[in-house]
């Protein structure tokens, strides 16, 4: 049977050390260390001039130190020293989790949460590669491995949780609109299509894109326009553009005759001449590209060039136009099965634009001409206007300045008339959720009907989602628990949810895990008990993760008590009286009232009469609230004050009703020996169980072949 963690823990914080801590900075971290190594760690920290709170949480394998954030490295140094000494003395008693067991820095906080859940002592050291090595006592090795596996599973679960914070502006299941973002080019196409089709579509600049919004009743028409644009874009991208002009490229490995190069020129073989013709290309008129593998130059069609034989002797002179014909005769991409369509390229046009479609294995070859002539040629091949417009723009980019003058391309200018929708981001967020999550995944809980700030939690692990209002951390965690998440999963997801909030969403900031700040010079607790009670004047409290932490300011120390949610009333009352020395019943009831108001106590007894609501705050104190006036009063259950209740608007009969409701409690308190038969039977049954267990523990085991 697994031991349950105690619901009440105690400790002391030295004021002397606290003063040092305040000087070191206002932010502190709680660090868990094994109890049996605490004294050694403390001694080493003090030797190095460090300071800390020693909280000494009892009934646990661990102790907790509160350390200034600036001194975490110093504490780690002390811990390393202690662990090193421990390993020297008894290396077999400590297991070093290194190698494949190293924990990434981004996961260490989650790992520590799971280890704390099972009260497994561990010391973690950061390595040079931003990972953590853990040292674990040998007797905890099995538990540690299971806890690490749980942390890994928890990480997988939470990583696949997608959180979207949005402002609900319409019903989630049927918002009545669609909204998305597109690049400016597509927005212009949609704008043109919307105008030609008389569609009511809004366009709004959003970051570096354009947001498009419209009512769902025209969604099909808008989608058709998008599909047409997408199809034309894909079709234009099927074409490879080759520009054939006065520029030529030569392969240096295959065409250069190095032995005939000169300091100023390259001796190059002319392709398609069966190795008969060669030319000299000046280094000043050319450029080596592709890491020196290719030579690029330009030939003037009107200029005369000498042609050489393989020995370097001049054979004849030819003009640049004839020479270009040897280089630009055939597109290297085509084969004998390629369908070739020529426009103005009778024979082999030297200066032309080739558009090769690899999917269809066809070539459209058009002479270097105007964009209008190119448009006609492409239209004859059956390309639609959108594809042609895209190809003309792409061709224009490939041309040089002189060629662009001949091409004369002018892009059609579309000026979008933008709408003014200040909250377009909210339309985008809700539309995206409605299209991708809501209605597609399985729903957890009900969908909120009212508008306002919401969070959609989409669990990709289970393909489930839930939508909740923007709430404080504790309430989000509670809702996630109701959705079926474990306590630690709910906490992790809740923190992820709260991180998505905007600054204006919630007043209170979520408390960082294991972090607190000094609120004033002599107190680490930001809240005080709202009472003038003298016994509580030096006490304060805080609520963290469903626990109440109470601190009492004694002359030497700050006394520390942590009471977890679900603690029994009698158990908490006893701890307050015995460990904090609270004497007066009214003082105890004030502390208990605070815990009851924050749902710490599990078994609060309440009674209702016609005129009042009554709840029990402690063993002998009650709080009475008048229904008519709304006023309250705390008083002993065995000394109910009629005048005080009259001020709450409660009649004499109402007072008698309240007294009668507590008669049984008062009699049991005054006469504990006079118990009912049922109570006596219960008492006897429990005693029998205790005696039986004691006998079992004392009886020696009987082996085979043995007798008594």
């Amino acid at each position: 049977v697994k031991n349950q963690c105690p619901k009440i823990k105690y400790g002391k914080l030295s004021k002397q050390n606290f003063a040092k801590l305040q000087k070191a900075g206002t932010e502190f971290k709680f660090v868990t260390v094994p109890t049996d190594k605490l004294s050694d760690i403390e001694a080493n920290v003090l030797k190095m001039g460090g300071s800390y709170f020693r909280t000494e949480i009892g009934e646990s394998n661990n102790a907790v130190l509160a350390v200034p954030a600036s001194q975490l490295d110093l504490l780690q140094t002390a811990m390393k020293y202690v662990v090193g000494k421990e390993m020297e003395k008894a290396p077999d008693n400590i297991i070093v989790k290194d190698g494949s067991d190293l924990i990434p820095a981004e996961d260490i906080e989650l790992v520590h949460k799971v280890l704390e859940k099972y009260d497994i002592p561990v010391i973690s050291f950061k390595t040079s590669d931003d990972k953590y090595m853990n040292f674990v006592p040998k007797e905890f090795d099995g538990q540690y491995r299971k806890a690490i596996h749980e942390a890994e599973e928890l990480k997988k679960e939470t990583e696949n949780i997608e959180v979207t914070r949005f402002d609900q502006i319409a019903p989630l299941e049927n918002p009545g609109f669609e909204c998305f973002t597109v690049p400016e080019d597509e927005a212009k196409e949609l704008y043109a299509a919307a105008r030609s089709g008389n569609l009511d579509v809004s366009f709004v600049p959003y970051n570096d894109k354009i947001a498009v919004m419209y009512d769902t009743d025209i969604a099909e028409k808008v989608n058709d326009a998008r599909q047409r644009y997408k199809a034309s874009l894909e079709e234009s991208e099927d074409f490879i553009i080759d520009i054939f002009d006065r520029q030529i490229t030569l392969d240096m490995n295959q065409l250069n005759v190095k032995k005939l190069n000169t300091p100023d020129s390259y001796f190059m073989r002319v392709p398609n001449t069966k190795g008969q013709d060669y030319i000299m290309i000046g280094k000043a008129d050319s450029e080596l590209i592709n890491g020196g593998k290719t030579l690029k130059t330009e030939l003037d069609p009107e200029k005369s060039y000498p042609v050489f034989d393989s020995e370097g002797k001049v054979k004849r002179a030819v003009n640049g136009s004839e020479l270009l014909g040897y280089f630009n005769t055939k597109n290297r991409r085509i084969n004998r099965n390629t369908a070739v369509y020529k426009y103005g390229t009778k024979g082999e046009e030297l200066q032309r634009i080739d558009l090769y479609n690899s999917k269809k294995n066809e070539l459209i070859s058009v002479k270097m001409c105007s964009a209008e002539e190119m448009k006609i040629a492409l239209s004859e091949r059956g390309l639609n206007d959108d594809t042609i417009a895209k190809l003309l723009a792409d061709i224009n980019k490939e041309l040089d300045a002189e060629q662009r003058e001949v091409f004369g391309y002018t892009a059609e200018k579309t000026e979008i008339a933008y709408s003014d929708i200040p909250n377009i981001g909210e339309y985008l967020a809700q539309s995206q959720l409605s299209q991708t999550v809501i209605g597609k995944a399985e729903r957890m809980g009900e969908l909120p009907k009212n508008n306002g700030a919401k969070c959609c939690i989409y669990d990709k692990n289970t393909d489930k989602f839930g939508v909740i209002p923007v709430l404080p951390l504790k309430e989000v965690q509670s809702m996630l628990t109701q959705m079926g998440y474990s306590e630690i999963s709910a906490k992790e997801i809740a923190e992820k949810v709260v991180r998505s909030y905007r600054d204006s969403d919630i007043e209170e900031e979520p408390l960082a895990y294991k972090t607190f700040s000094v609120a004033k010079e002599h107190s680490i607790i930001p809240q005080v008990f709202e009472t003038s009670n003298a016994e509580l004047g030096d006490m304060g409290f805080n609520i963290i993760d469903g626990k109440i932490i109470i601190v009492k300011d004694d002359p030497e120390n700050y006394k520390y008590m942590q009471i977890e949610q679900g603690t029994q009333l009698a158990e908490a009352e006893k701890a307050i009286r015995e460990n904090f020395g609270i004497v007066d019943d009214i003082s105890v009831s004030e502390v208990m009232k605070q815990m009851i108001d924050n749902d710490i106590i599990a078994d609060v007894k309440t009674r209702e009469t016609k005129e009042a609501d009554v709840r029990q705050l402690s063993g002998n104190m009650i709080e009475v609230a008048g229904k008519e006036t709304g006023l309250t009063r705390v008083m002993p259950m065995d000394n109910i004050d009629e005048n005080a209740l009259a001020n709450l608007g409660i009649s004499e009969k109402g007072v008698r009703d309240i007294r009668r409701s507590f008669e049984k409690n008062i009699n049991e308190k005054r006469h504990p020996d006079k118990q009912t038969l049922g109570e006596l039977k219960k008492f006897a049954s429990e005693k029998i169980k205790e005696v039986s267990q004691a006998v079992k523990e004392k009886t020696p085991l009987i082996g085979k072949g043995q007798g008594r």
Side-chain angles (χ1 to χ4, degrees):
V1 179
K2 193 174 291 183
N3 291 329
Q4 296 295 320
C5 293
K7 291 189 176 294
I8 302 177
K9 302 176 180 179
Y10 314 98
K12 289 189 297 185
L13 312 178
S14 165
K15 285 191 173 182
Q16 184 179 2
N17 284 332
F18 179 53
K20 293 179 183 177
L21 288 171
Q22 285 185 305
K23 292 176 183 177
T26 57
E27 187 182 4
F28 299 88
K29 301 284 185 180
F30 279 122
V31 179
T32 303
V33 299
T35 306
D36 60 348
K37 296 177 181 60
L38 179 59
S39 59
D40 291 336
I41 291 170
E42 288 177 336
N44 281 283
V45 169
L46 293 175
K47 283 179 185 177
M48 290 184 284
S51 48
Y52 54 86
F53 281 146
R54 178 177 174 178
T55 62
E56 288 189 32
I57 293 180
E59 297 183 44
S60 165
N61 294 309
N62 293 333
V64 175
L65 301 180
V67 187
S70 60
Q71 293 190 16
L72 278 179
D73 288 342
L74 182 145
L75 180 69
Q76 279 215 337
T77 302
M79 291 166 71
K80 286 178 183 177
Y81 178 80
V82 171
V83 171
K85 288 292 184 184
E86 180 75 16
M87 292 186 72
E88 284 179 15
K89 291 188 295 183
D92 294 335
N93 290 337
I94 289 184
I95 295 176
V96 182
K97 299 295 181 179
D98 58 0
S100 60
D101 292 328
L102 288 175
I103 309 296
E106 65 269 19
D107 299 338
I108 193 65
E109 186 175 309
L110 177 60
V111 167
H112 280 169
K113 287 180 185 179
V114 177
L115 293 174
E116 277 200 358
K117 172 185 172 184
Y118 295 113
D119 207 22
I120 299 170
V122 64
I123 296 178
S124 301
F125 300 127
K126 198 171 187 179
T127 63
S128 58
D129 56 350
D130 205 29
K131 292 186 177 181
Y132 282 84
M133 178 190 297
N134 286 337
F135 290 75
V136 185
K138 188 174 183 179
E139 61 268 26
F140 286 91
D141 184 40
Q143 295 180 59
Y144 175 86
R145 282 187 277 110
K146 286 199 172 184
I148 292 297
H149 177 71
E150 182 176 329
E152 290 170 352
E153 293 301 310
L154 183 60
K155 182 187 177 184
K156 289 178 189 175
E157 179 183 46
T158 54
E159 279 182 342
N160 280 322
I161 302 289
E162 193 175 88
V163 175
T164 305
R165 185 262 180 234
F166 67 101
D167 279 335
Q168 184 173 328
I169 48 184
L172 291 172
E173 290 182 300
N174 186 21
F177 64 86
E178 289 190 19
C179 195
F180 52 84
T181 59
V182 294
E184 187 176 2
D185 287 348
E186 185 177 352
K188 288 179 179 179
E189 294 291 333
L190 284 175
Y191 181 73
R195 281 195 307 172
S196 63
N198 198 26
L199 302 177
D200 186 12
V201 181
S202 298
F203 295 82
V204 184
Y206 188 76
N207 297 330
D208 60 343
K209 292 189 176 182
I210 310 298
V212 182
M213 191 175 80
Y214 49 88
D215 291 341
T216 51
D217 56 358
I218 62 169
E220 188 175 346
K221 293 178 180 178
V222 174
N223 190 54
D224 287 344
R226 292 191 75 189
Q227 291 303 317
R228 286 197 301 273
Y229 174 77
K230 183 181 178 183
S232 65
L233 193 64
E234 289 175 350
E235 188 176 15
S236 68
E237 289 174 349
D238 289 341
F239 286 91
I240 299 172
I241 300 170
D242 289 309
I243 308 297
F244 291 91
D245 56 7
R246 293 176 296 183
Q247 198 172 85
I248 62 172
T249 57
L250 303 95
D251 189 312
M252 289 294 287
N253 290 329
Q254 296 183 21
L255 303 179
N256 180 225
V257 182
K258 293 181 181 180
K259 65 180 181 179
L260 295 178
N261 287 347
T262 70
D264 300 323
S265 61
Y266 300 104
F267 192 78
M268 307 295 295
R269 179 166 62 85
V270 178
N272 301 308
T273 63
K274 298 181 180 180
Q276 299 299 310
D277 292 346
Y278 296 82
I279 57 173
M280 297 288 289
I281 298 176
K283 292 182 178 180
D285 301 323
S286 60
E287 177 188 358
L288 285 171
I289 59 175
N290 295 336
K293 295 178 182 178
T294 307
L295 183 68
K296 183 173 76 171
T297 190
E298 190 175 277
L299 298 177
D300 186 343
E302 308 300 326
K303 184 179 175 181
S304 180
Y305 293 90
V307 175
F308 303 87
D309 63 15
S310 61
E311 301 297 324
K313 295 177 182 179
V314 176
K315 292 172 56 176
R316 67 182 188 278
V318 298
N319 61 38
S321 179
E322 181 183 344
L323 200 55
L324 276 168
Y326 292 107
F327 291 92
N328 292 354
T329 54
K330 184 180 179 182
N331 193 303
R332 67 183 183 278
R333 304 183 193 280
I334 67 174
N335 54 47
R336 60 188 178 88
N337 297 317
T338 304
V340 179
Y341 305 97
K342 297 182 179 181
Y343 293 87
T345 57
K346 293 179 181 178
E348 293 296 345
E349 185 73 21
L350 301 181
Q351 298 188 60
R352 67 187 188 276
I353 301 168
D354 282 0
L355 301 173
Y356 176 67
N357 189 319
S358 58
K359 284 188 177 179
K360 297 181 179 179
N361 193 20
E362 66 179 30
L363 178 75
I364 303 173
S365 185
V366 186
K367 72 175 182 178
M368 190 72 69
C369 57
S370 69
E372 193 58 37
E373 290 176 278
M374 174 66 76
K375 185 176 181 179
I376 293 169
L378 295 177
S379 182
E380 285 186 15
R381 297 306 330 140
L383 275 67
N384 64 48
D385 291 343
D386 290 336
T387 303
I388 291 171
K390 183 71 173 64
L391 280 172
L392 291 176
D394 291 342
I395 291 169
N396 192 63
K397 291 177 185 175
E398 297 287 334
L399 301 175
D400 60 29
E402 188 178 332
Q403 291 164 343
R404 284 178 185 171
E405 286 187 19
V406 176
F407 199 57
Y409 169 77
T410 304
E412 291 184 18
K413 291 187 177 180
T414 302
E415 294 296 332
I416 300 174
Y418 291 116
S419 303
D420 183 19
I421 306 177
N423 60 338
I424 188 67
E426 304 304 340
Y427 286 97
L428 281 166
Q430 184 166 338
S431 180
Q432 184 180 17
L433 287 173
S434 296
Q435 293 175 52
T436 60
V437 178
I438 297 167
K440 310 293 189 299
E442 184 182 342
R443 189 182 69 205
M444 295 183 286
E446 295 299 317
L447 288 179
K449 303 295 183 187
N450 59 314
N451 292 343
K454 304 287 189 303
C455 263
C456 177
I457 302 159
Y458 174 46
D459 190 334
K460 295 180 181 178
N461 303 289
T462 58
D463 197 30
K464 294 181 180 180
F465 79 95
V467 179
I468 62 175
V470 167
L471 295 167
L473 178 68
K474 185 178 176 183
E475 293 180 42
V476 174
Q477 189 174 339
S478 175
M479 293 189 77
L480 288 165
T481 304
Q482 293 172 29
M483 289 181 187
Y485 290 101
S486 66
E487 183 181 349
I488 194 164
S489 294
K491 187 176 188 302
E492 286 295 301
I493 300 169
E495 288 178 356
K496 193 171 186 177
V497 169
V498 173
R499 283 196 296 271
S500 75
Y501 290 173
R502 298 173 189 165
D503 292 339
S504 58
D505 280 342
I506 279 195
E507 292 291 331
E508 65 172 281
E509 289 187 8
L511 288 163
Y513 178 70
K514 289 295 182 188
T515 304
F516 65 95
S517 297
V518 175
K520 49 189 180 180
E521 187 178 359
H522 292 301
S523 176
I524 61 168
I525 302 299
Q527 299 185 60
V528 295
F529 292 99
E530 296 178 3
T531 177
S532 57
N533 188 299
E535 278 194 294
L536 305 184
D538 55 1
M539 288 175 59
F541 72 95
N542 205 347
I543 307 295
I544 300 176
D545 297 336
K547 310 176 186 73
I548 188 168
I549 298 174
I550 306 172
V551 170
K552 180 177 172 61
D553 186 352
D554 276 356
E556 297 295 329
N557 302 292
Y558 290 104
K559 282 191 175 179
Y560 166 101
M561 180 186 293
Q562 175 181 297
I563 302 178
E564 294 188 14
Q565 196 171 40
T567 300
Q568 300 295 309
L569 185 143
E571 186 183 352
E573 180 181 356
K574 180 182 178 183
I576 291 166
R577 290 182 184 275
E578 292 183 357
N579 292 279
F580 277 176
I582 304 299
V583 177
D584 293 349
D585 288 340
I586 191 68
S587 306
V588 172
S589 66
E590 290 287 353
V591 180
M592 297 299 298
K593 183 176 181 297
Q594 195 67 58
M595 286 192 277
I596 292 168
D597 289 343
N598 285 280
D599 298 323
I600 303 296
I601 304 303
D603 58 339
V604 180
K605 295 176 182 176
T606 60
R607 291 169 172 78
E608 183 180 359
T609 67
K610 287 185 178 180
E611 299 180 34
D613 289 318
V614 186
R615 63 177 177 173
Q616 189 172 349
L617 300 181
S618 66
N620 59 349
M621 299 295 287
I622 59 173
E623 180 186 52
V624 182
K627 287 185 175 179
E628 190 174 320
T629 62
L631 300 174
T632 63
R633 185 66 181 265
V634 176
M635 61 186 65
M637 69 172 69
D638 57 356
N639 188 19
I640 292 174
D641 189 331
E642 290 186 29
N643 294 329
L645 294 182
N647 292 331
L648 304 184
I650 299 171
S651 66
E652 290 182 8
K653 182 181 180 304
V655 173
R656 288 196 298 273
D657 289 342
I658 293 171
R659 278 190 176 133
R660 271 197 299 271
S661 68
F662 285 100
E663 279 178 357
K664 181 183 176 185
N665 299 64
I666 295 167
N667 286 333
E668 288 177 357
K669 185 176 176 65
R670 289 176 178 171
H671 308 286
D673 55 324
K674 294 180 180 179
Q675 297 181 9
T676 64
L677 179 60
E679 288 167 341
L680 288 171
K681 284 182 178 179
K682 183 180 178 183
F683 174 78
S685 175
E686 290 174 353
K687 280 296 180 186
I688 288 169
K689 287 180 183 178
E690 289 178 14
V691 172
S692 298
Q693 185 60 35
V695 169
K696 285 180 182 178
E697 291 173 355
K698 291 181 180 180
T699 302
L701 293 174
I702 306 298
K704 289 184 179 180
Q706 291 179 321
R708 284 184 183 270

